[in-house]
Amino acid sequence: MKKWIITLLLILGWSAAQAQSDTTGLVRVDSDEVEVWVPDKAALTNTDAKQDAKAKKRGQKYYTFDELIEKYGSREGFRSVIFGRKMMQMMADRVKHEDKELSNLLKGIYTIKTISTTQPNDEFVTDMKTWPETRIHVSLISQVEQNGQWTSCYLVDGGRWELSTFVLLSYGGKEQTALLITGYFSVKDISRLASIRPK
């Protein structure tokens, strides 16, 4: 009877610990009557710290490109440009005799969006750097630092049947630029995509 009561109390205690955290660790405590396992206080403490970090992360504002353009596009010193599908087809036709590969690449592009400034702006840099953190399948393609200017390129690969997304984020003393390109392209086109900057 005594063992049954102890076992019941242990189950209740363990259930309460699980309600606090689904990653609670258990440690063994020696007992004459029965082998006892109780929640590990260190594991509970570490879990609480992780939950606090996640809560702070959830409180952070994440920006899409449209939101970046909406927030900064009308501010002094900023410049935003959006090219649609029709514009890309016109550009492709314009260069088809000079550069067939570039023309084919432009034909596959659906949208180009960019927002930039030549005036250092820490708020803008912080906001634009949230974009990669919101994407599950985003891959960092490259990150280059030259004379204090950081340039990072990201890709969300859509494969053969879905639109891909290329993003370039550049920040430093020279300029702060966020560039997004959507369309049908592959990793081999990255270097040419990085060179497309609407003027």
Side-chain angles (χ1 to χ4, degrees):
M1 184 69 174
K2 187 176 180 182
K3 287 185 178 181
W4 180 84
I5 294 174
I6 292 174
T7 302
L8 179 61
L9 290 173
L10 287 173
I11 291 172
L12 291 173
W14 182 82
S15 298
Q18 286 295 102
Q20 292 180 9
S21 171
D22 58 358
T23 58
T24 301
L26 297 178
V27 293
R28 184 177 183 276
V29 178
D30 293 327
S31 171
D32 295 336
E33 298 292 334
V34 67
E35 198 174 75
V36 180
W37 291 79
V38 296
D40 183 353
K41 290 182 179 179
L44 281 172
T45 302
N46 290 337
T47 300
D48 290 343
K50 290 177 182 177
Q51 288 177 341
D52 289 342
K54 286 181 181 179
K56 289 179 181 178
K57 203 75 173 176
R58 283 195 298 268
Q60 183 178 355
K61 169 67 175 173
Y62 293 94
Y63 288 87
T64 65
F65 261 75
D66 289 337
E67 289 173 333
L68 282 174
I69 290 173
E70 182 179 349
K71 181 176 180 179
Y72 293 98
S74 60
R75 292 191 185 184
E76 185 177 352
F78 281 86
R79 184 170 183 268
S80 63
V81 179
I82 298 176
F83 287 163
R85 178 73 171 146
K86 190 68 176 176
M87 174 62 77
M88 302 317 302
Q89 290 174 338
M90 290 171 59
M91 291 173 63
D93 289 339
R94 189 177 301 171
V95 300
K96 65 181 178 181
H97 299 297
E98 304 165 15
D99 192 331
K100 190 173 182 179
E101 285 187 6
L102 177 59
S103 178
N104 289 335
L105 175 59
L106 293 173
K107 285 179 182 178
I109 293 176
Y110 276 57
T111 307
I112 295 180
K113 298 179 182 181
T114 182
I115 176 85
S116 62
T117 180
T118 55
Q119 302 172 5
N121 189 305
D122 292 338
E123 181 187 5
F124 175 58
V125 171
T126 299
D127 289 347
M128 74 177 183
K129 286 166 69 176
T130 66
W131 184 89
E133 299 176 11
T134 65
R135 300 301 185 273
I136 298 174
H137 302 294
V138 66
S139 298
L140 175 65
I141 301 300
S142 64
Q143 189 171 61
V144 178
E145 188 275 336
Q146 185 175 14
N147 299 324
Q149 187 75 25
W150 286 89
T151 302
S152 303
C153 295
Y154 301 88
L155 179 69
V156 179
D157 192 350
R160 291 184 62 186
W161 310 112
E162 294 184 15
L163 293 176
S164 295
T165 301
F166 170 79
V167 167
L168 180 144
L169 304 178
S170 184
Y171 50 91
K174 185 180 178 182
E175 66 173 349
Q176 288 77 48
T177 300
L179 168 75
L180 176 141
I181 301 176
T182 60
Y184 291 102
F185 43 77
S186 62
V187 176
K188 68 180 179 64
D189 299 317
I190 294 300
S191 60
R192 301 217 72 165
L193 290 169
S195 67
I196 297 176
R197 305 273 190 105
K199 302 299 182 184

